[in-house]
Amino acid sequence: MQLFIEIYGFLSVVLRGVILAAQSVAVGGLAFLMLLVWPLAPKLAGAGAALERRALRLIFVSASGLAAAEWLAAASLTVMLVGTLEIPAQEAAGARAVAVDLVAGVIAAVVAVSARRAQRGGVALRQSAPVLAALLIGVQAGSTHAASQFEGAVVLACAEFLHMAGAAVWIGGIPYFLMALTDVADPTARARVAARFSAMSVGAVAALLAGGALMAAFYVGAAPAMYGTSYGVMLSAKIVLLLGLLLLGGLNFLAVRKLKQEPAGPLLRTRRFAETEIGVGLTVLFCAASLASLPPARDLPNDRASFAEVVDRLEPRLPVRLDSPDFEALSAALPPEALKNLPPGAQPPRSPADIAWSEYNHHWAGLFVIAMGVMALLERVSRRLAPVMRHWPLVFLGLACFLFLRADEMVWPLGRLGLIESLRDPEIAQHRLLTLLIVIFGLFEWQVRQGRIKAWWAPYVFPVSTATAAAFLLTHSHALANLKEETLIEITHTPLALVGVAAGWSRWLELRLDGGAKRMAGFVWPIGFILAGLMLVFYREA
């Protein structure tokens, strides 16, 4: 029970990200049917029925996943309440947040059943789709920060509804748009589908931005809260990701306009940019889940980092720390007697040696990452060095080994915590998960480049793993008693996540595109690695 309670914070953010993603795909599918497939079916040159069947199948899968995730969220929250408040399970299950998850799960199950019946010829979904979509989003919108506000709760819930609906129609609709580009073979009909989806996306983006701007103005309140709180930092990351999505969407908007003039024109870039939009869009949804777990910035008027403190923390300083303090100087080396007066689960205050140890780990990790970026870049610009530089993925193994041994000083083989026991700490668990991911995509990428793995999916392990690790970094939390210090650490980690997202999806585009765009994407991700390495080399905690 205690282990579950300790990792609940991290698990709940991940689960909420899954819920938002599944909800967006389910609602996006319903919107795609209502606004595109059903009204345009007579003009789709006979492809409408096949497109509807595939869309219904994905709606069924996503709605089923949403129902399962909602009920899992309700069950886990009930267990957490029983464990922390020591109340009966029946009383915990009656909590408002648990009820919201249960109701949302029931609505999602109804959507799944309706989609299954529609696949078999039922017509009820045509009449009920708008209501079901509105109920799914409405229940979620009513369970956000808006519900806890004394003033403006209704307006904020409406803004949240608008924001979620826009995200669902735009981001959740992209998988269906990709289906349509494949299923609709007639060039004129395909151009018509692209034009309709483009118009839907423009409206959805307008709704998303309007709702988001209203919520940001209320929950942040003032500019200093934007950079001085964890909420503001995470919101900034979400805005940066949305700008990236808007760039990709803008490129597809221009491609669709060109398609109207030349219906039989090439679609490769439109498809590849749409694939990347899905990946970045999912990251945005996980970022939104992380944002929902943080207190609004305006509620923390006294625990903000000042602009000078932020600049001081981010300012590059030399020399970098390549020598670690003695282990005996760390808090992790304190004898059990020195910790007996601490509250259960509490850690001793961080000493200057603890901070030096953490900075030493980050600086060495940065050197590994810079080495990989430089080698990957040299592989592209030097034919003479390419045969050696192409082995750059092996550097991942050195980085993973270093992190496993040195990243968490309290854990075996340095500290007194056993390897399994240490996983109770959410931060350590995330470190171990990221270390495992590093090993996986390092080995895969090296084997793929050697031509030893020829499966079609093998080259995609590296970009997907990089982007996934970056998305997890956005859910990464540092549970410190000092909220200002927590914010200053988030400020140094969030840019790393954003660079990771850019590196992962630019590598995806390098694999999926051709010509000049492929070459350009091939330079973006090594440069992203070098930038991430420099951020780590100049990382400071004081």
Side-chain angles (χ1 to χ4, degrees):
M1 175 65 82
Q2 187 60 33
L3 172 61
F4 176 80
I5 293 172
E6 289 173 357
I7 65 174
Y8 175 78
F10 171 65
L11 287 178
S12 65
V13 173
V14 173
L15 201 51
R16 193 55 55 186
V18 172
I19 287 172
L20 289 178
Q23 173 187 280
S24 295
V25 175
V27 175
L30 293 174
F32 194 80
L33 289 176
M34 288 187 288
L35 301 176
L36 195 152
V37 177
W38 290 335
L40 285 187
K43 302 176 181 177
L44 295 183
L51 182 58
E52 182 182 12
R53 281 195 300 274
R54 291 188 68 191
L56 287 169
R57 192 179 306 132
L58 184 54
I59 292 171
F60 170 75
V61 172
S62 55
S64 300
L66 176 59
E70 292 281 13
W71 288 331
L72 183 58
S76 58
L77 179 56
T78 300
V79 173
M80 196 277 291
L81 291 175
V82 169
T84 53
L85 302 179
E86 298 182 350
I87 57 178
Q90 188 176 2
E91 185 177 344
R96 184 178 181 278
V98 175
V100 167
D101 285 330
L102 291 174
V103 171
V106 170
I107 298 171
V110 172
V111 172
V113 171
S114 300
R116 177 64 83 187
R117 288 184 173 176
Q119 282 182 276
R120 296 169 179 169
V123 296
L125 188 62
R126 289 187 178 242
Q127 287 76 42
S128 61
V131 176
L132 291 174
L135 283 175
L136 269 183
I137 295 180
V139 170
Q140 292 292 350
S143 65
T144 58
H145 286 312
S148 61
Q149 302 302 314
F150 294 110
E151 296 179 357
V154 175
V155 174
L156 288 169
C158 291
E160 188 74 68
F161 183 93
L162 206 59
H163 192 62
M164 287 187 180
V169 175
W170 178 27
I171 299 171
I174 296 174
Y176 304 91
F177 176 54
L178 281 172
M179 284 182 189
L181 293 180
T182 302
D183 288 357
V184 181
D186 179 73
T188 303
R190 197 166 52 208
R192 189 173 285 121
V193 167
R196 176 64 68 94
F197 185 73
S198 181
M200 287 168 52
S201 298
V202 170
V205 168
L208 184 149
L209 294 180
L214 183 60
M215 288 189 293
F218 184 86
Y219 291 135
V220 175
M226 193 70 180
Y227 57 77
T229 64
S230 294
Y231 187 94
V233 173
M234 192 57 66
L235 179 59
S236 301
K238 191 180 170 190
I239 291 172
V240 170
L241 289 169
L242 276 174
L243 290 175
L245 271 180
L246 288 173
L247 174 63
L248 291 166
L251 292 172
N252 267 345
F253 179 78
L254 296 176
V256 168
R257 289 189 64 180
K258 190 175 180 181
L259 205 60
K260 288 175 69 176
Q261 301 164 353
E262 189 184 351
L267 287 170
L268 181 68
R269 290 192 182 184
T270 302
R271 285 178 169 145
R272 301 310 175 233
F273 288 148
E275 292 169 0
T276 308
E277 279 186 82
I278 293 174
V280 179
L282 288 174
T283 310
V284 170
L285 294 176
F286 272 82
C287 190
S290 183
L291 198 61
S293 70
L294 297 170
R298 65 179 297 160
D299 292 347
L300 301 172
N302 301 319
D303 295 300
R304 299 173 182 172
S306 68
F307 184 72
E309 288 171 322
V310 171
V311 172
D312 181 68
R313 185 60 59 91
L314 296 178
E315 181 183 14
R317 279 175 282 176
L318 292 173
V320 298
R321 197 184 296 276
L322 300 180
D323 294 322
S324 69
D326 293 335
F327 180 76
E328 288 71 22
L330 305 177
S331 300
L334 291 173
E337 313 79 71
L339 308 176
K340 62 183 180 181
N341 294 326
L342 291 174
Q347 301 296 329
R350 303 189 78 211
S351 68
D354 295 326
I355 293 173
W357 179 275
S358 178
E359 290 180 352
Y360 155 83
N361 288 331
H362 282 82
H363 295 177
W364 267 105
L367 293 179
F368 279 109
V369 177
I370 289 174
M372 285 186 279
V374 169
M375 289 176 72
L377 206 56
L378 289 175
E379 182 189 4
R380 281 154 178 74
V381 301
S382 172
R383 290 185 179 179
R384 186 170 61 85
L385 295 175
V388 177
M389 296 296 113
R390 66 199 293 263
H391 294 289
W392 65 264
L394 292 178
V395 181
F396 273 122
L397 303 185
L399 173 62
C401 186
F402 175 82
L403 293 177
F404 181 79
L405 295 174
R406 308 287 288 188
D408 296 294
E409 69 277 13
M410 295 183 296
V411 183
W412 178 91
L414 295 176
R416 62 173 64 92
L417 277 178
L419 191 58
I420 302 300
E421 184 185 5
S422 69
L423 299 180
R424 294 181 177 181
D425 187 313
E427 189 174 337
I428 295 175
Q430 290 175 65
H431 288 166
R432 296 304 185 198
L433 177 61
L434 290 175
T435 302
L436 181 62
L437 287 175
I438 289 170
V439 172
I440 290 172
F441 61 64
L443 283 174
F444 254 93
E445 186 66 6
W446 181 68
Q447 294 274 15
V448 169
R449 286 175 176 273
Q450 299 307 304
R452 295 172 183 171
I453 299 179
K454 301 183 185 301
W456 66 267
W457 49 266
Y460 302 108
V461 169
F462 170 67
V464 171
S465 299
T466 302
T468 302
F472 268 106
L473 192 56
L474 286 175
T475 68
H476 186 78
S477 63
H478 294 81
L480 303 178
N482 188 330
L483 291 178
K484 182 192 293 186
E485 189 59 31
E486 183 179 333
T487 299
L488 290 170
I489 291 181
E490 301 297 345
I491 281 176
T492 60
H493 281 70
T494 302
L496 286 170
L498 296 177
V499 170
V501 171
W505 290 111
S506 59
R507 172 59 178 161
W508 177 276
L509 288 175
E510 182 190 13
L511 292 170
R512 303 284 286 170
L513 285 172
D514 58 11
K518 178 186 180 73
R519 286 192 292 277
M520 184 181 297
F523 280 102
V524 169
W525 69 265
I527 292 173
F529 266 54
I530 294 172
L531 286 175
L534 288 172
M535 291 179 197
L536 287 167
V537 163
F538 292 112
Y539 172 83
R540 298 286 176 183
E541 289 189 8

